Amino acid sequence: MNNIKLSAIMSLLLIITVAFTGGCKRGTPTSKSPIHLNPNMDYQPKYEAQETSDFFDNGASNRLQVEGTVGRGRLNEDIPFYTGKETVDGEFISEIPIALSEQDERRGEDRYRIYCAMCHGMSGSGNGIVIEKGFFPPPKYSDDKLLKMSSGQIFHTITNGYNNMQSYKQQIPVRDRWLIVDHVRKLQVSVEDTGSGK
C-alpha cells in the first residue's frame, strides 16, 4: 500500500515539474511586461553622456573638475619618493629617500624574489628561470652601467620598465619599489665584495 502511495506522489511531482519547466521556457515571446520587484534598479533617474539639463546655467548635465583638484590619497607631494627625481623634471636622486628597518629589508628581499628573481636571478647575475625558457637575459647587476645607476634611476626603471622589462607601477606599491632598490644595492655590494659576477 505504501509503495502505491509513494509512486502516485512521485508521478504527481513529475507531472508538476514537467508542467512548470515546459511553461517557463526562456526566450518564448510574450506581450506581458516582466515583473519588477524593485523597479528602482531598472529605471534610475540619470543623465546620459552629453545630455542637456536645466539645472546648470550653461545647459550641461555635468560639471568639469575645479582646476587643481586632486583625488583623495593622490596628492603625492613628496616628489623624490614618488618619482625618484629631485624635481618633476630634475635629476635622479642618489640615495633612497626613506629610512629602512630590518623588517623593511626582509620585505625588500621578499618583493625582489616575487617580482624580479625570475629574470634577474636570486643573486642578480641575470640567470633567472625565464632565461632557461628562451627569454632575452637582462644585464648583470655587476655590470658597470648598472653599478653607476643612481637609486632614483633604478626606482624609475622598476616603475616604468626598460627595454624588455615591463612596468611594475601597477603591481608594486611605491614604498615596496624603494625596498627592492635597497635589495638590488645589497646584491651589487655582495657581488663587488666577492669579486664574482663579471
Side-chain angles (χ1 to χ4, degrees):
M1 197 72 159
N2 287 338
N3 288 340
I4 295 172
K5 283 183 181 181
L6 183 62
S7 57
I9 291 171
M10 294 299 286
S11 299
L12 183 62
L13 287 175
L14 180 63
I15 291 168
I16 292 171
T17 304
V18 169
F20 274 113
T21 56
C24 297
K25 288 184 180 175
R26 199 173 166 92
T28 304
T30 179
S31 59
K32 296 179 184 177
S33 61
I35 298 172
H36 292 285
L37 300 176
N38 187 355
N40 293 339
M41 297 297 288
D42 291 320
Y43 307 109
Q44 300 176 18
K46 63 185 175 196
Y47 288 107
E48 299 293 335
Q50 310 300 323
E51 191 174 348
T52 59
S53 167
D54 297 332
F55 188 77
F56 297 115
D57 290 337
N58 65 355
S61 60
N62 60 354
R63 305 301 261 172
L64 296 175
Q65 282 187 341
V66 176
E67 191 172 336
T69 301
V70 178
R72 185 176 293 174
R74 296 178 184 253
L75 185 55
N76 301 349
E77 278 187 308
D78 188 352
I79 293 172
F81 179 72
Y82 287 100
T83 65
K85 296 181 177 184
E86 294 173 9
T87 61
V88 175
D89 298 322
E91 297 291 321
F92 290 111
I93 59 176
S94 58
E95 299 296 324
I96 296 171
I98 54 175
L100 302 176
S101 64
E102 286 183 28
Q103 185 178 358
D104 287 332
E105 291 175 6
R106 285 194 299 273
R107 182 170 175 84
E109 181 179 0
D110 183 54
R111 301 295 100 177
Y112 177 87
R113 288 175 184 223
I114 292 170
Y115 294 106
C116 312
M118 78 278 295
C119 293
H120 291 278
M122 293 300 289
S123 64
S125 56
N127 61 350
I129 189 72
V130 298
I131 309 310
E132 296 173 12
K133 306 297 181 191
F135 281 75
F136 191 75
K140 299 176 184 178
Y141 291 151
S142 59
D143 288 355
D144 287 338
K145 180 181 176 184
L146 271 67
L147 289 172
K148 291 176 184 174
M149 284 178 79
S150 65
S151 294
Q153 195 171 357
I154 296 171
F155 173 84
H156 185 267
T157 303
I158 296 169
T159 303
N160 299 303
Y162 185 78
N163 288 341
N164 294 333
M165 180 178 161
Q166 67 175 356
S167 163
Y168 282 95
K169 154 180 13 182
Q170 301 301 324
Q171 296 93 330
I172 309 174
V174 176
R175 183 175 173 79
D176 284 353
R177 283 179 245 157
W178 284 114
L179 301 183
I180 291 172
V181 171
D182 177 65
H183 186 69
V184 168
R185 288 297 193 212
K186 285 181 172 45
L187 290 175
Q188 288 179 323
V189 168
S190 69
V191 167
E192 283 183 334
D193 288 346
T194 60
S196 63
K198 289 197 175 194

